[in-house]
Amino acid sequence: MTVTPATPEAPVRLTQFAHGGGCACKIPPGELENVLGSLAAPPAPSTDTPLLVGLATGDDAAVVALPAPEGGPAQALVSTADFFTPVVDDPFDWGRIAAANALSDVYAMGGRPVVAVNLLAWPREVLPFELAREVLRGGLEIAAEAGCHIGGGHSVDDPEPKYGMAVTGLADPARLLRNDAGRPGLPLSLTKSLGLGVLNNRHKATGERFEQAVATMVALNRDAAEAALAAGASCATDVTGFGLLGHLHKLARASDVTAVLDTAAVPYLDGAREAVRDGYVSGGTRRNLDWVAPFTDFGGTDADTRLLLADAQTSGGLLVAGEIPGAPVIGELVPRGPHSVVLR
Protein backbone atom coordinates (compact mmCIF):
# COMPACT_ATOMS: atom_id res chain seq x y z
CA MET A 1 0.00 0.00 0.00
CA THR A 2 1.38 3.40 -1.01
CA VAL A 3 0.64 6.34 1.28
CA THR A 4 1.54 10.00 1.12
CA PRO A 5 3.09 11.51 4.27
CA ALA A 6 0.79 13.89 6.11
CA THR A 7 1.54 17.61 5.84
CA PRO A 8 0.09 20.71 7.54
CA GLU A 9 -1.65 21.56 4.26
CA ALA A 10 -3.25 18.10 3.85
CA PRO A 11 -5.52 17.05 6.73
CA VAL A 12 -4.84 13.54 7.97
CA ARG A 13 -7.50 10.93 7.21
CA LEU A 14 -6.41 7.94 9.27
CA THR A 15 -8.70 5.53 7.42
CA GLN A 16 -6.68 6.12 4.25
CA PHE A 17 -3.59 4.61 5.88
CA ALA A 18 -5.08 1.13 6.28
CA HIS A 19 -6.20 -1.55 3.84
CA GLY A 20 -9.20 -2.36 6.05
CA GLY A 21 -10.96 -0.71 8.94
CA GLY A 22 -11.92 -1.78 12.45
CA CYS A 23 -13.07 -5.34 12.92
CA ALA A 24 -13.58 -5.68 9.16
CA CYS A 25 -9.81 -6.24 8.94
CA LYS A 26 -10.04 -9.52 10.86
CA ILE A 27 -8.77 -12.72 9.27
CA PRO A 28 -11.83 -14.30 7.53
CA PRO A 29 -13.56 -16.69 9.94
CA GLY A 30 -13.36 -19.71 7.63
CA GLU A 31 -9.62 -19.30 7.11
CA LEU A 32 -9.05 -18.76 10.82
CA GLU A 33 -10.98 -21.89 11.81
CA ASN A 34 -9.10 -23.98 9.25
CA VAL A 35 -5.77 -22.92 10.72
CA LEU A 36 -6.78 -23.26 14.35
CA GLY A 37 -8.44 -26.62 13.70
CA SER A 38 -5.15 -27.98 12.33
CA LEU A 39 -3.26 -27.25 15.54
CA ALA A 40 -2.84 -30.03 18.06
CA ALA A 41 -4.16 -29.19 21.50
CA PRO A 42 -1.25 -28.66 23.91
CA PRO A 43 -1.11 -30.83 27.00
CA ALA A 44 -2.86 -29.28 29.97
CA PRO A 45 -0.29 -27.78 32.34
CA SER A 46 -0.05 -29.09 35.86
CA THR A 47 -1.59 -26.22 37.78
CA ASP A 48 -4.19 -25.31 40.36
CA THR A 49 -5.65 -22.72 37.95
CA PRO A 50 -7.73 -24.80 35.48
CA LEU A 51 -8.78 -23.33 32.14
CA LEU A 52 -12.57 -22.82 32.21
CA VAL A 53 -12.96 -21.32 28.72
CA GLY A 54 -10.38 -21.80 26.00
CA LEU A 55 -10.11 -22.28 22.27
CA ALA A 56 -12.68 -25.05 21.84
CA THR A 57 -15.82 -22.95 21.27
CA GLY A 58 -14.25 -19.75 19.92
CA ASP A 59 -15.56 -17.68 22.81
CA ASP A 60 -14.77 -14.01 23.38
CA ALA A 61 -11.99 -14.44 25.96
CA ALA A 62 -10.04 -17.05 27.88
CA VAL A 63 -11.10 -17.74 31.46
CA VAL A 64 -8.97 -19.37 34.15
CA ALA A 65 -10.16 -20.34 37.63
CA LEU A 66 -8.10 -18.74 40.38
CA PRO A 67 -7.34 -20.51 43.66
CA ALA A 68 -10.11 -19.56 46.06
CA PRO A 69 -8.84 -17.70 49.12
CA GLU A 70 -9.68 -19.37 52.39
CA GLY A 71 -13.14 -18.19 53.35
CA GLY A 72 -13.33 -15.89 50.32
CA PRO A 73 -15.38 -16.00 47.11
CA ALA A 74 -14.22 -17.97 44.11
CA GLN A 75 -12.90 -15.85 41.25
CA ALA A 76 -11.87 -16.39 37.66
CA LEU A 77 -9.39 -14.44 35.56
CA VAL A 78 -10.58 -13.26 32.13
CA SER A 79 -7.94 -12.52 29.48
CA THR A 80 -8.31 -11.07 25.99
CA ALA A 81 -6.59 -8.90 23.38
CA ASP A 82 -8.06 -6.88 20.51
CA PHE A 83 -6.59 -4.32 18.13
CA PHE A 84 -7.29 -3.08 14.61
CA THR A 85 -6.60 -0.49 11.94
CA PRO A 86 -8.38 2.90 11.97
CA VAL A 87 -12.14 2.73 11.68
CA VAL A 88 -12.64 6.52 11.76
CA ASP A 89 -10.43 9.47 10.83
CA ASP A 90 -10.48 11.21 14.22
CA PRO A 91 -7.60 9.75 16.31
CA PHE A 92 -9.26 10.41 19.67
CA ASP A 93 -12.46 8.68 18.55
CA TRP A 94 -10.47 5.77 17.15
CA GLY A 95 -8.77 5.34 20.51
CA ARG A 96 -12.10 5.39 22.32
CA ILE A 97 -13.65 2.89 19.91
CA ALA A 98 -10.71 0.48 20.03
CA ALA A 99 -10.66 0.55 23.83
CA ALA A 100 -14.41 -0.03 24.16
CA ASN A 101 -14.11 -2.90 21.69
CA ALA A 102 -11.27 -4.57 23.62
CA LEU A 103 -13.05 -4.17 26.96
CA SER A 104 -16.19 -5.67 25.43
CA ASP A 105 -14.69 -9.16 25.37
CA VAL A 106 -14.46 -9.13 29.17
CA TYR A 107 -18.04 -7.91 29.51
CA ALA A 108 -19.17 -10.57 27.04
CA MET A 109 -17.89 -13.22 29.47
CA GLY A 110 -19.72 -11.64 32.41
CA GLY A 111 -16.55 -10.15 33.86
CA ARG A 112 -15.30 -6.72 34.83
CA PRO A 113 -12.05 -5.34 33.40
CA VAL A 114 -9.32 -4.66 35.96
CA VAL A 115 -6.14 -3.76 34.06
CA ALA A 116 -5.17 -3.30 30.41
CA VAL A 117 -2.02 -2.61 28.43
CA ASN A 118 -1.94 -0.66 25.18
CA LEU A 119 -1.02 -2.27 21.86
CA LEU A 120 0.16 0.35 19.34
CA ALA A 121 1.60 0.06 15.84
CA TRP A 122 2.54 3.33 14.15
CA PRO A 123 4.08 4.43 10.81
CA ARG A 124 6.23 7.03 12.53
CA GLU A 125 7.86 8.32 9.33
CA VAL A 126 4.47 8.93 7.71
CA LEU A 127 2.06 9.98 10.44
CA PRO A 128 2.84 12.59 13.14
CA PHE A 129 3.35 10.88 16.48
CA GLU A 130 1.18 13.56 18.07
CA LEU A 131 -1.76 11.73 16.49
CA ALA A 132 -0.74 8.57 18.34
CA ARG A 133 -0.94 10.55 21.57
CA GLU A 134 -4.57 11.39 20.74
CA VAL A 135 -5.31 7.72 20.06
CA LEU A 136 -3.84 6.75 23.43
CA ARG A 137 -5.73 9.58 25.13
CA GLY A 138 -8.98 8.21 23.74
CA GLY A 139 -8.16 4.76 25.08
CA LEU A 140 -7.35 6.21 28.49
CA GLU A 141 -10.70 8.00 28.65
CA ILE A 142 -12.71 4.86 27.96
CA ALA A 143 -10.62 2.76 30.35
CA ALA A 144 -11.21 5.34 33.08
CA GLU A 145 -14.95 5.20 32.40
CA ALA A 146 -14.77 1.43 32.78
CA GLY A 147 -12.78 1.67 36.03
CA CYS A 148 -9.92 -0.20 34.38
CA HIS A 149 -6.25 0.59 35.02
CA ILE A 150 -3.86 1.17 32.11
CA GLY A 151 -0.50 -0.29 33.03
CA GLY A 152 1.70 0.57 30.05
CA GLY A 153 1.83 -1.43 26.84
CA HIS A 154 3.85 -2.22 23.75
CA SER A 155 4.55 -0.28 20.54
CA VAL A 156 6.15 -1.07 17.18
CA ASP A 157 7.02 0.88 14.04
CA ASP A 158 4.61 -0.48 11.42
CA PRO A 159 3.53 0.54 7.89
CA GLU A 160 -0.11 0.59 9.04
CA PRO A 161 -1.44 2.24 12.20
CA LYS A 162 -3.07 -0.19 14.61
CA TYR A 163 -4.32 0.22 18.15
CA GLY A 164 -6.03 -1.83 20.80
CA MET A 165 -5.55 -3.36 24.21
CA ALA A 166 -4.81 -6.58 26.02
CA VAL A 167 -7.27 -6.68 28.92
CA THR A 168 -7.40 -8.71 32.11
CA GLY A 169 -10.58 -8.93 34.14
CA LEU A 170 -12.25 -10.85 36.94
CA ALA A 171 -15.49 -12.81 36.98
CA ASP A 172 -17.50 -15.13 39.19
CA PRO A 173 -16.82 -18.61 37.76
CA ALA A 174 -20.35 -19.68 38.67
CA ARG A 175 -21.89 -16.75 36.75
CA LEU A 176 -19.99 -16.63 33.49
CA LEU A 177 -21.57 -15.67 30.19
CA ARG A 178 -20.47 -18.29 27.63
CA ASN A 179 -21.32 -18.94 24.01
CA ASP A 180 -21.88 -22.67 24.66
CA ALA A 181 -24.55 -22.26 27.35
CA GLY A 182 -27.57 -21.62 25.10
CA ARG A 183 -30.63 -23.82 25.57
CA PRO A 184 -33.80 -24.36 23.50
CA GLY A 185 -36.61 -22.02 24.50
CA LEU A 186 -34.43 -19.04 25.36
CA PRO A 187 -35.14 -15.72 23.61
CA LEU A 188 -32.33 -13.83 21.87
CA SER A 189 -31.72 -10.16 22.70
CA LEU A 190 -29.42 -7.68 20.93
CA THR A 191 -28.16 -4.64 22.80
CA LYS A 192 -26.84 -2.43 19.95
CA SER A 193 -28.19 -1.69 16.49
CA LEU A 194 -26.45 -3.08 13.40
CA GLY A 195 -24.96 -1.15 10.50
CA LEU A 196 -21.63 -0.03 11.95
CA GLY A 197 -19.63 -1.71 9.22
CA VAL A 198 -21.37 -0.15 6.24
CA LEU A 199 -21.44 3.30 7.86
CA ASN A 200 -17.73 3.08 8.66
CA ASN A 201 -17.02 1.94 5.12
CA ARG A 202 -18.95 4.93 3.78
CA HIS A 203 -16.97 7.20 6.12
CA LYS A 204 -13.71 5.77 4.79
CA ALA A 205 -14.78 6.28 1.17
CA THR A 206 -16.37 9.72 1.44
CA GLY A 207 -15.22 11.37 4.66
CA GLU A 208 -18.83 11.70 5.87
CA ARG A 209 -19.05 11.51 9.66
CA PHE A 210 -21.79 9.44 11.29
CA GLU A 211 -22.25 10.53 14.89
CA GLN A 212 -24.74 7.73 15.58
CA ALA A 213 -22.10 5.17 14.64
CA VAL A 214 -19.39 6.76 16.81
CA ALA A 215 -21.75 7.03 19.79
CA THR A 216 -22.66 3.35 19.42
CA MET A 217 -19.07 2.18 19.14
CA VAL A 218 -17.74 4.10 22.14
CA ALA A 219 -20.58 2.91 24.41
CA LEU A 220 -19.38 0.30 26.90
CA ASN A 221 -21.17 -3.05 27.11
CA ARG A 222 -20.87 -2.92 30.90
CA ASP A 223 -24.54 -2.16 31.62
CA ALA A 224 -25.69 -4.80 29.13
CA ALA A 225 -23.50 -7.45 30.79
CA GLU A 226 -24.72 -6.49 34.26
CA ALA A 227 -28.33 -6.63 33.05
CA ALA A 228 -27.76 -10.05 31.51
CA LEU A 229 -26.29 -11.43 34.74
CA ALA A 230 -29.08 -9.86 36.80
CA ALA A 231 -31.63 -11.56 34.54
CA GLY A 232 -29.98 -14.94 35.17
CA ALA A 233 -28.49 -15.29 31.68
CA SER A 234 -25.56 -17.66 31.22
CA CYS A 235 -25.09 -17.44 27.44
CA ALA A 236 -23.89 -14.41 25.48
CA THR A 237 -21.35 -13.18 22.97
CA ASP A 238 -20.49 -9.79 21.54
CA VAL A 239 -21.21 -8.95 17.91
CA THR A 240 -18.06 -7.75 16.16
CA GLY A 241 -16.13 -8.60 13.03
CA PHE A 242 -17.95 -11.78 12.03
CA GLY A 243 -21.31 -10.00 11.93
CA LEU A 244 -24.53 -10.95 13.68
CA LEU A 245 -24.95 -14.08 11.54
CA GLY A 246 -21.39 -15.23 12.17
CA HIS A 247 -21.55 -14.80 15.92
CA LEU A 248 -25.04 -16.31 16.02
CA HIS A 249 -23.77 -19.33 14.11
CA LYS A 250 -20.86 -19.75 16.53
CA LEU A 251 -23.19 -19.51 19.54
CA ALA A 252 -25.70 -21.98 18.09
CA ARG A 253 -22.96 -24.41 17.07
CA ALA A 254 -21.25 -24.27 20.46
CA SER A 255 -24.60 -24.73 22.27
CA ASP A 256 -25.85 -27.48 19.89
CA VAL A 257 -29.05 -25.59 19.11
CA THR A 258 -30.58 -23.73 16.18
CA ALA A 259 -31.09 -19.97 16.33
CA VAL A 260 -34.26 -18.67 14.71
CA LEU A 261 -33.90 -14.99 13.82
CA ASP A 262 -36.86 -12.64 13.34
CA THR A 263 -35.35 -10.36 10.71
CA ALA A 264 -38.07 -7.73 11.15
CA ALA A 265 -37.12 -7.32 14.84
CA VAL A 266 -33.42 -6.60 14.25
CA PRO A 267 -32.59 -2.89 14.87
CA TYR A 268 -30.43 -0.89 12.44
CA LEU A 269 -28.67 2.46 12.72
CA ASP A 270 -30.01 5.36 10.69
CA GLY A 271 -28.41 5.35 7.27
CA ALA A 272 -27.36 1.69 7.32
CA ARG A 273 -29.76 0.49 4.63
CA GLU A 274 -28.90 3.44 2.44
CA ALA A 275 -25.19 2.63 2.79
CA VAL A 276 -25.82 -0.94 1.62
CA ARG A 277 -27.98 0.30 -1.25
CA ASP A 278 -25.20 2.65 -2.33
CA GLY A 279 -22.60 -0.12 -2.30
CA TYR A 280 -20.56 0.63 0.84
CA VAL A 281 -20.12 -3.02 1.79
CA SER A 282 -16.69 -4.22 2.95
CA GLY A 283 -14.97 -7.33 1.70
CA GLY A 284 -15.05 -8.61 5.28
CA THR A 285 -18.84 -8.48 5.32
CA ARG A 286 -19.08 -10.41 2.04
CA ARG A 287 -16.67 -13.03 3.38
CA ASN A 288 -18.81 -13.33 6.52
CA LEU A 289 -21.87 -14.01 4.40
CA ASP A 290 -20.06 -16.61 2.31
CA TRP A 291 -18.88 -18.35 5.49
CA VAL A 292 -22.30 -18.64 7.15
CA ALA A 293 -24.25 -19.47 3.98
CA PRO A 294 -23.86 -23.29 4.24
CA PHE A 295 -25.17 -23.20 7.82
CA THR A 296 -28.05 -20.77 7.28
CA ASP A 297 -31.62 -21.11 6.00
CA PHE A 298 -32.15 -17.64 4.53
CA GLY A 299 -35.79 -18.22 3.62
CA GLY A 300 -37.04 -15.25 1.61
CA THR A 301 -34.65 -12.70 3.12
CA ASP A 302 -33.58 -10.12 0.53
CA ALA A 303 -29.95 -9.57 -0.47
CA ASP A 304 -29.50 -6.22 1.31
CA THR A 305 -30.82 -7.60 4.60
CA ARG A 306 -28.49 -10.59 4.34
CA LEU A 307 -25.55 -8.22 3.95
CA LEU A 308 -26.63 -6.15 6.95
CA LEU A 309 -27.01 -9.26 9.08
CA ALA A 310 -23.46 -10.29 8.10
CA ASP A 311 -22.11 -6.72 8.39
CA ALA A 312 -18.71 -6.66 10.12
CA GLN A 313 -19.38 -4.68 13.30
CA THR A 314 -16.78 -2.82 15.34
CA SER A 315 -17.51 -2.54 19.07
CA GLY A 316 -21.01 -3.91 18.58
CA GLY A 317 -23.46 -4.95 21.25
CA LEU A 318 -24.06 -8.13 23.19
CA LEU A 319 -26.13 -10.98 21.81
CA VAL A 320 -27.74 -12.50 24.89
CA ALA A 321 -29.67 -15.77 25.25
CA GLY A 322 -32.26 -14.23 27.52
CA GLU A 323 -34.43 -11.16 27.83
CA ILE A 324 -32.95 -7.99 29.30
CA PRO A 325 -34.48 -4.53 29.81
CA GLY A 326 -34.18 -2.12 26.90
CA ALA A 327 -32.91 -4.66 24.37
CA PRO A 328 -35.17 -5.93 21.58
CA VAL A 329 -35.84 -9.66 21.35
CA ILE A 330 -34.74 -10.67 17.86
CA GLY A 331 -35.35 -14.41 17.91
CA GLU A 332 -35.08 -17.58 19.95
CA LEU A 333 -33.11 -20.76 20.38
CA VAL A 334 -34.81 -24.03 19.41
CA PRO A 335 -33.71 -27.69 19.33
CA ARG A 336 -30.96 -28.40 16.82
CA GLY A 337 -32.13 -28.70 13.23
CA PRO A 338 -30.41 -29.04 9.86
CA HIS A 339 -29.19 -25.43 10.01
CA SER A 340 -27.56 -23.54 12.87
CA VAL A 341 -29.35 -20.30 11.87
CA VAL A 342 -32.83 -19.89 10.37
CA LEU A 343 -34.13 -16.52 9.16
CA ARG A 344 -37.84 -15.74 9.34
Side-chain angles (χ1 to χ4, degrees), residues 226-250:
E226 291 175 355
L229 291 172
S234 59
C235 178
T237 187
D238 64 351
V239 179
T240 55
F242 299 155
L244 175 62
L245 289 182
H247 291 283
L248 194 56
H249 162 60
K250 290 178 66 177

PDB file of all heavy atoms in Angstrom, residues 226-250:
ATOM      1  N   GLU A 226     -24.144  -6.452  32.912  1.00  0.00           N
ATOM      2  CA  GLU A 226     -24.722  -6.491  34.258  1.00  0.00           C
ATOM      3  C   GLU A 226     -26.201  -6.846  34.199  1.00  0.00           C
ATOM      4  O   GLU A 226     -26.699  -7.606  35.040  1.00  0.00           O
ATOM      5  CB  GLU A 226     -24.515  -5.147  34.941  1.00  0.00           C
ATOM      6  CG  GLU A 226     -23.060  -4.856  35.293  1.00  0.00           C
ATOM      7  CD  GLU A 226     -22.858  -3.463  35.871  1.00  0.00           C
ATOM      8  OE1 GLU A 226     -23.842  -2.684  35.906  1.00  0.00           O
ATOM      9  OE2 GLU A 226     -21.722  -3.158  36.297  1.00  0.00           O
ATOM     10  N   ALA A 227     -26.909  -6.314  33.198  1.00  0.00           N
ATOM     11  CA  ALA A 227     -28.332  -6.627  33.054  1.00  0.00           C
ATOM     12  C   ALA A 227     -28.528  -8.094  32.710  1.00  0.00           C
ATOM     13  O   ALA A 227     -29.470  -8.745  33.202  1.00  0.00           O
ATOM     14  CB  ALA A 227     -28.962  -5.744  31.984  1.00  0.00           C
ATOM     15  N   ALA A 228     -27.650  -8.643  31.876  1.00  0.00           N
ATOM     16  CA  ALA A 228     -27.760 -10.052  31.514  1.00  0.00           C
ATOM     17  C   ALA A 228     -27.548 -10.945  32.732  1.00  0.00           C
ATOM     18  O   ALA A 228     -28.298 -11.910  32.958  1.00  0.00           O
ATOM     19  CB  ALA A 228     -26.747 -10.387  30.421  1.00  0.00           C
ATOM     20  N   LEU A 229     -26.539 -10.644  33.534  1.00  0.00           N
ATOM     21  CA  LEU A 229     -26.293 -11.435  34.737  1.00  0.00           C
ATOM     22  C   LEU A 229     -27.437 -11.294  35.733  1.00  0.00           C
ATOM     23  O   LEU A 229     -27.867 -12.281  36.354  1.00  0.00           O
ATOM     24  CB  LEU A 229     -24.982 -10.999  35.387  1.00  0.00           C
ATOM     25  CG  LEU A 229     -23.701 -11.344  34.610  1.00  0.00           C
ATOM     26  CD1 LEU A 229     -22.492 -10.682  35.263  1.00  0.00           C
ATOM     27  CD2 LEU A 229     -23.504 -12.856  34.528  1.00  0.00           C
ATOM     28  N   ALA A 230     -27.966 -10.073  35.878  1.00  0.00           N
ATOM     29  CA  ALA A 230     -29.076  -9.856  36.803  1.00  0.00           C
ATOM     30  C   ALA A 230     -30.323 -10.623  36.374  1.00  0.00           C
ATOM     31  O   ALA A 230     -31.130 -11.039  37.221  1.00  0.00           O
ATOM     32  CB  ALA A 230     -29.393  -8.366  36.902  1.00  0.00           C
ATOM     33  N   ALA A 231     -30.476 -10.824  35.057  1.00  0.00           N
ATOM     34  CA  ALA A 231     -31.634 -11.563  34.542  1.00  0.00           C
ATOM     35  C   ALA A 231     -31.423 -13.074  34.590  1.00  0.00           C
ATOM     36  O   ALA A 231     -32.301 -13.828  34.185  1.00  0.00           O
ATOM     37  CB  ALA A 231     -31.930 -11.125  33.112  1.00  0.00           C
ATOM     38  N   GLY A 232     -30.252 -13.509  35.061  1.00  0.00           N
ATOM     39  CA  GLY A 232     -29.979 -14.935  35.169  1.00  0.00           C
ATOM     40  C   GLY A 232     -29.444 -15.563  33.898  1.00  0.00           C
ATOM     41  O   GLY A 232     -29.381 -16.793  33.796  1.00  0.00           O
ATOM     42  N   ALA A 233     -29.025 -14.752  32.924  1.00  0.00           N
ATOM     43  CA  ALA A 233     -28.487 -15.289  31.675  1.00  0.00           C
ATOM     44  C   ALA A 233     -27.145 -15.965  31.924  1.00  0.00           C
ATOM     45  O   ALA A 233     -26.372 -15.553  32.793  1.00  0.00           O
ATOM     46  CB  ALA A 233     -28.337 -14.187  30.631  1.00  0.00           C
ATOM     47  N   SER A 234     -26.849 -16.989  31.138  1.00  0.00           N
ATOM     48  CA  SER A 234     -25.556 -17.660  31.216  1.00  0.00           C
ATOM     49  C   SER A 234     -24.912 -17.791  29.844  1.00  0.00           C
ATOM     50  O   SER A 234     -23.800 -18.308  29.737  1.00  0.00           O
ATOM     51  CB  SER A 234     -25.709 -19.057  31.843  1.00  0.00           C
ATOM     52  OG  SER A 234     -26.604 -19.850  31.076  1.00  0.00           O
ATOM     53  N   CYS A 235     -25.600 -17.312  28.801  1.00  0.00           N
ATOM     54  CA  CYS A 235     -25.090 -17.440  27.437  1.00  0.00           C
ATOM     55  C   CYS A 235     -25.117 -16.084  26.750  1.00  0.00           C
ATOM     56  O   CYS A 235     -26.163 -15.422  26.710  1.00  0.00           O
ATOM     57  CB  CYS A 235     -25.937 -18.445  26.647  1.00  0.00           C
ATOM     58  SG  CYS A 235     -25.448 -18.647  24.922  1.00  0.00           S
ATOM     59  N   ALA A 236     -23.973 -15.676  26.208  1.00  0.00           N
ATOM     60  CA  ALA A 236     -23.895 -14.413  25.477  1.00  0.00           C
ATOM     61  C   ALA A 236     -22.621 -14.395  24.658  1.00  0.00           C
ATOM     62  O   ALA A 236     -21.700 -15.199  24.868  1.00  0.00           O
ATOM     63  CB  ALA A 236     -23.923 -13.213  26.435  1.00  0.00           C
ATOM     64  N   THR A 237     -22.563 -13.467  23.727  1.00  0.00           N
ATOM     65  CA  THR A 237     -21.347 -13.178  22.971  1.00  0.00           C
ATOM     66  C   THR A 237     -21.471 -11.744  22.486  1.00  0.00           C
ATOM     67  O   THR A 237     -22.575 -11.186  22.463  1.00  0.00           O
ATOM     68  CB  THR A 237     -21.176 -14.142  21.793  1.00  0.00           C
ATOM     69  OG1 THR A 237     -19.905 -13.940  21.165  1.00  0.00           O
ATOM     70  CG2 THR A 237     -22.265 -13.952  20.739  1.00  0.00           C
ATOM     71  N   ASP A 238     -20.349 -11.115  22.128  1.00  0.00           N
ATOM     72  CA  ASP A 238     -20.492  -9.788  21.542  1.00  0.00           C
ATOM     73  C   ASP A 238     -20.457  -9.901  20.019  1.00  0.00           C
ATOM     74  O   ASP A 238     -19.942 -10.860  19.453  1.00  0.00           O
ATOM     75  CB  ASP A 238     -19.474  -8.783  22.081  1.00  0.00           C
ATOM     76  CG  ASP A 238     -18.033  -9.100  21.759  1.00  0.00           C
ATOM     77  OD1 ASP A 238     -17.760 -10.201  21.259  1.00  0.00           O
ATOM     78  OD2 ASP A 238     -17.171  -8.247  22.012  1.00  0.00           O
ATOM     79  N   VAL A 239     -21.065  -8.931  19.358  1.00  0.00           N
ATOM     80  CA  VAL A 239     -21.209  -8.951  17.905  1.00  0.00           C
ATOM     81  C   VAL A 239     -20.174  -8.005  17.326  1.00  0.00           C
ATOM     82  O   VAL A 239     -20.304  -6.781  17.446  1.00  0.00           O
ATOM     83  CB  VAL A 239     -22.635  -8.551  17.479  1.00  0.00           C
ATOM     84  CG1 VAL A 239     -22.764  -8.554  15.956  1.00  0.00           C
ATOM     85  CG2 VAL A 239     -23.659  -9.498  18.098  1.00  0.00           C
ATOM     86  N   THR A 240     -19.144  -8.573  16.702  1.00  0.00           N
ATOM     87  CA  THR A 240     -18.062  -7.750  16.163  1.00  0.00           C
ATOM     88  C   THR A 240     -17.788  -8.143  14.711  1.00  0.00           C
ATOM     89  O   THR A 240     -18.673  -8.131  13.875  1.00  0.00           O
ATOM     90  CB  THR A 240     -16.815  -7.841  17.059  1.00  0.00           C
ATOM     91  OG1 THR A 240     -16.442  -9.225  17.227  1.00  0.00           O
ATOM     92  CG2 THR A 240     -17.079  -7.235  18.419  1.00  0.00           C
ATOM     93  N   GLY A 241     -16.544  -8.496  14.412  1.00  0.00           N
ATOM     94  CA  GLY A 241     -16.125  -8.598  13.026  1.00  0.00           C
ATOM     95  C   GLY A 241     -16.756  -9.677  12.194  1.00  0.00           C
ATOM     96  O   GLY A 241     -16.722  -9.602  10.963  1.00  0.00           O
ATOM     97  N   PHE A 242     -17.332 -10.716  12.800  1.00  0.00           N
ATOM     98  CA  PHE A 242     -17.950 -11.782  12.027  1.00  0.00           C
ATOM     99  C   PHE A 242     -19.426 -11.514  11.748  1.00  0.00           C
ATOM    100  O   PHE A 242     -20.108 -12.344  11.143  1.00  0.00           O
ATOM    101  CB  PHE A 242     -17.792 -13.139  12.734  1.00  0.00           C
ATOM    102  CG  PHE A 242     -16.352 -13.545  12.934  1.00  0.00           C
ATOM    103  CD1 PHE A 242     -16.004 -14.413  13.958  1.00  0.00           C
ATOM    104  CD2 PHE A 242     -15.348 -13.066  12.103  1.00  0.00           C
ATOM    105  CE1 PHE A 242     -14.677 -14.785  14.149  1.00  0.00           C
ATOM    106  CE2 PHE A 242     -14.022 -13.433  12.290  1.00  0.00           C
ATOM    107  CZ  PHE A 242     -13.686 -14.299  13.313  1.00  0.00           C
ATOM    108  N   GLY A 243     -19.918 -10.357  12.187  1.00  0.00           N
ATOM    109  CA  GLY A 243     -21.307  -9.995  11.926  1.00  0.00           C
ATOM    110  C   GLY A 243     -22.275 -10.755  12.820  1.00  0.00           C
ATOM    111  O   GLY A 243     -21.924 -11.745  13.471  1.00  0.00           O
ATOM    112  N   LEU A 244     -23.527 -10.286  12.850  1.00  0.00           N
ATOM    113  CA  LEU A 244     -24.534 -10.954  13.675  1.00  0.00           C
ATOM    114  C   LEU A 244     -24.690 -12.412  13.272  1.00  0.00           C
ATOM    115  O   LEU A 244     -24.735 -13.301  14.130  1.00  0.00           O
ATOM    116  CB  LEU A 244     -25.874 -10.221  13.566  1.00  0.00           C
ATOM    117  CG  LEU A 244     -27.049 -10.893  14.297  1.00  0.00           C
ATOM    118  CD1 LEU A 244     -26.789 -10.980  15.794  1.00  0.00           C
ATOM    119  CD2 LEU A 244     -28.350 -10.137  14.023  1.00  0.00           C
ATOM    120  N   LEU A 245     -24.757 -12.694  11.975  1.00  0.00           N
ATOM    121  CA  LEU A 245     -24.951 -14.082  11.542  1.00  0.00           C
ATOM    122  C   LEU A 245     -23.770 -14.954  11.941  1.00  0.00           C
ATOM    123  O   LEU A 245     -23.957 -16.101  12.372  1.00  0.00           O
ATOM    124  CB  LEU A 245     -25.157 -14.137  10.033  1.00  0.00           C
ATOM    125  CG  LEU A 245     -26.477 -13.600   9.485  1.00  0.00           C
ATOM    126  CD1 LEU A 245     -26.542 -13.783   7.973  1.00  0.00           C
ATOM    127  CD2 LEU A 245     -27.672 -14.273  10.154  1.00  0.00           C
ATOM    128  N   GLY A 246     -22.553 -14.438  11.814  1.00  0.00           N
ATOM    129  CA  GLY A 246     -21.389 -15.227  12.174  1.00  0.00           C
ATOM    130  C   GLY A 246     -21.334 -15.550  13.653  1.00  0.00           C
ATOM    131  O   GLY A 246     -21.094 -16.697  14.047  1.00  0.00           O
ATOM    132  N   HIS A 247     -21.580 -14.564  14.484  1.00  0.00           N
ATOM    133  CA  HIS A 247     -21.547 -14.798  15.924  1.00  0.00           C
ATOM    134  C   HIS A 247     -22.740 -15.633  16.371  1.00  0.00           C
ATOM    135  O   HIS A 247     -22.626 -16.441  17.308  1.00  0.00           O
ATOM    136  CB  HIS A 247     -21.485 -13.467  16.667  1.00  0.00           C
ATOM    137  CG  HIS A 247     -20.178 -12.760  16.487  1.00  0.00           C
ATOM    138  ND1 HIS A 247     -19.027 -13.130  17.152  1.00  0.00           N
ATOM    139  CD2 HIS A 247     -19.819 -11.718  15.692  1.00  0.00           C
ATOM    140  CE1 HIS A 247     -18.024 -12.353  16.775  1.00  0.00           C
ATOM    141  NE2 HIS A 247     -18.481 -11.482  15.894  1.00  0.00           N
ATOM    142  N   LEU A 248     -23.875 -15.479  15.714  1.00  0.00           N
ATOM    143  CA  LEU A 248     -25.043 -16.307  16.021  1.00  0.00           C
ATOM    144  C   LEU A 248     -24.775 -17.764  15.652  1.00  0.00           C
ATOM    145  O   LEU A 248     -25.124 -18.683  16.410  1.00  0.00           O
ATOM    146  CB  LEU A 248     -26.251 -15.763  15.268  1.00  0.00           C
ATOM    147  CG  LEU A 248     -27.637 -16.251  15.680  1.00  0.00           C
ATOM    148  CD1 LEU A 248     -27.895 -16.011  17.160  1.00  0.00           C
ATOM    149  CD2 LEU A 248     -28.702 -15.553  14.829  1.00  0.00           C
ATOM    150  N   HIS A 249     -24.137 -17.972  14.516  1.00  0.00           N
ATOM    151  CA  HIS A 249     -23.774 -19.331  14.109  1.00  0.00           C
ATOM    152  C   HIS A 249     -22.822 -19.969  15.117  1.00  0.00           C
ATOM    153  O   HIS A 249     -22.997 -21.132  15.517  1.00  0.00           O
ATOM    154  CB  HIS A 249     -23.135 -19.299  12.725  1.00  0.00           C
ATOM    155  CG  HIS A 249     -22.352 -20.525  12.382  1.00  0.00           C
ATOM    156  ND1 HIS A 249     -22.916 -21.782  12.329  1.00  0.00           N
ATOM    157  CD2 HIS A 249     -21.020 -20.691  12.092  1.00  0.00           C
ATOM    158  CE1 HIS A 249     -21.984 -22.678  12.013  1.00  0.00           C
ATOM    159  NE2 HIS A 249     -20.837 -22.036  11.872  1.00  0.00           N
ATOM    160  N   LYS A 250     -21.811 -19.203  15.563  1.00  0.00           N
ATOM    161  CA  LYS A 250     -20.858 -19.752  16.528  1.00  0.00           C
ATOM    162  C   LYS A 250     -21.550 -20.100  17.841  1.00  0.00           C
ATOM    163  O   LYS A 250     -21.266 -21.142  18.449  1.00  0.00           O
ATOM    164  CB  LYS A 250     -19.731 -18.756  16.771  1.00  0.00           C
ATOM    165  CG  LYS A 250     -18.786 -18.581  15.593  1.00  0.00           C
ATOM    166  CD  LYS A 250     -17.711 -17.545  15.881  1.00  0.00           C
ATOM    167  CE  LYS A 250     -16.783 -17.994  16.972  1.00  0.00           C
ATOM    168  NZ  LYS A 250     -15.689 -17.010  17.219  1.00  0.00           N
TER     169      LYS A 250
END
